[in-house]
Amino acid sequence: MIVSPRGAARAVDWPFALGTHEGAYELASGKRRGRGMLGKSPWAYACMVIRSSELARLPWAIVSATSGEIVESHPLYDMFKNFGQESNYADAVALTEIDMLTQAAGYWLVDGNVLQRLDATTIDVKADRTGIREFVQTIDGTVVNRFPREVIVYFREPDNEVDLIPGTAPWTVAKPAIDQEYEANRYVKAYFANDATPALLLTTDLDIGDKGITDTLRWWNHLFRGPKNRGKTAAVDRGMKAQQLAADMGDQALVEIR
């Protein structure tokens, strides 16, 4: 039995047989979880980094299921020490936690005497009434691997309706708040990119045509846009008026929204 920081109950029955070979599966490199997804919200990103890094630092041990004593020597120690060919235990555990938060599932491949984390975004669980039949890995629309149940260590968030497939990812629950903060940040960025000037509508009673509108906008931006022109007094003719469309930043209650 492995005493692990997260999902220990799901990792008790380790479905593998240690072998002496490596590379039984051709592992294509899956796409990383989009940086845009993790970096969309500063607080969500910080939460995931804190959770994953702290989890990776927690101690663990291998305990005998019969005596309850810690096993000092076991092939699993070597497997965890040399986790994957391009990774290590801390990286794999941290990324698996992020997989759990964003995909509600994590997958480790037992490939002979090597443990390898699989990109959860590429894995589909195929199950029926008899149990899990296989794990299918698809990258760029092409099935690259079909893993039998016995070579996959499977972590998942529980589902109240279906026993074997991943449940609801915490990221999904937080997504509306993340989207709200993201759009608020975009507004702030656009506001200051426009020299902190609310959007304006220039109106006139005269018919000035398309060319007149283009010339007027060019004239207005030339005189009043840009940090050097900020705060200047405007004077217009032709009965032209400037109407503010967007509320001032101070009226947006962005702190409360975010």
Side-chain angles (χ1 to χ4, degrees):
M1 172 181 178
I2 290 186
V3 179
S4 60
R6 178 182 175 90
R10 284 172 248 152
V12 169
D13 185 17
W14 285 75
F16 60 79
L18 294 175
T20 59
H21 69 291
E22 295 184 14
Y25 291 93
E26 188 68 28
L27 294 180
S29 177
K31 292 182 178 179
R32 285 279 183 183
R33 198 163 349 292
R35 289 189 178 94
M37 184 178 181
L38 289 182
K40 197 173 184 180
S41 164
W43 63 262
Y45 179 85
C47 286
M48 284 189 282
V49 169
I50 291 170
R51 287 175 64 102
S52 61
S53 60
E54 289 299 316
L55 181 66
R57 285 197 287 263
L58 289 179
W60 58 270
I62 300 175
V63 180
S64 171
T66 54
S67 66
E69 297 179 353
I70 294 178
V71 179
E72 299 292 344
S73 178
H74 195 281
L76 275 176
Y77 282 117
D78 293 332
M79 295 181 77
F80 282 152
K81 184 178 179 180
N82 303 300
F83 203 111
Q85 298 180 2
E86 305 296 338
S87 183
N88 55 48
Y89 173 81
D91 288 342
V93 170
L95 289 172
T96 300
E97 172 67 4
I98 293 177
D99 287 336
M100 295 288 287
L101 294 172
T102 59
Q103 306 298 317
Y107 308 90
W108 292 356
L109 170 66
V110 184
D111 191 8
N113 57 357
V114 173
L115 275 173
Q116 177 77 41
R117 169 191 164 267
L118 300 176
D119 185 346
T121 64
T122 68
I123 304 297
D124 288 320
V125 181
K126 302 299 181 182
D128 55 26
R129 293 181 180 179
T130 64
I132 296 175
R133 294 184 286 107
E134 62 178 351
F135 298 86
V136 179
Q137 185 179 36
T138 304
I139 297 176
D140 293 332
T142 301
V143 174
V144 296
N145 283 306
R146 293 184 178 274
F147 301 111
R149 176 66 186 94
E150 60 269 16
V151 301
I152 296 294
V153 182
Y154 175 34
F155 307 90
R156 68 181 179 88
E157 295 292 350
D159 188 292
N160 292 333
E161 298 180 356
V162 183
D163 291 334
L164 302 177
I165 65 173
T168 300
W171 174 273
T172 304
V173 179
K175 190 175 184 302
I178 293 171
D179 288 340
Q180 179 175 288
E181 185 197 9
Y182 174 68
E183 294 300 333
N185 288 340
R186 289 184 62 197
Y187 175 84
V188 172
K189 180 179 179 181
Y191 181 82
F192 284 105
N194 194 41
D195 304 315
T197 302
L200 298 174
L201 174 65
L202 299 178
T203 62
T204 178
D205 296 333
L206 301 178
D207 184 6
I208 61 176
D210 291 341
K211 185 177 184 305
I213 292 175
T214 301
D215 291 342
T216 299
L217 291 177
R218 184 183 299 112
W219 164 79
W220 182 273
N221 289 329
H222 173 72
L223 290 181
F224 304 113
R225 283 200 69 177
K228 294 182 180 180
N229 295 324
R230 186 178 305 163
K232 290 177 64 175
T233 302
V236 296
D237 58 4
R238 303 180 185 176
M240 190 170 293
K241 299 177 182 179
Q243 177 184 351
Q244 181 174 313
L245 294 180
D248 190 80
M249 179 69 75
D251 299 329
Q252 296 296 307
L254 286 177
V255 173
E256 291 81 357
I257 291 175
R258 297 173 67 192

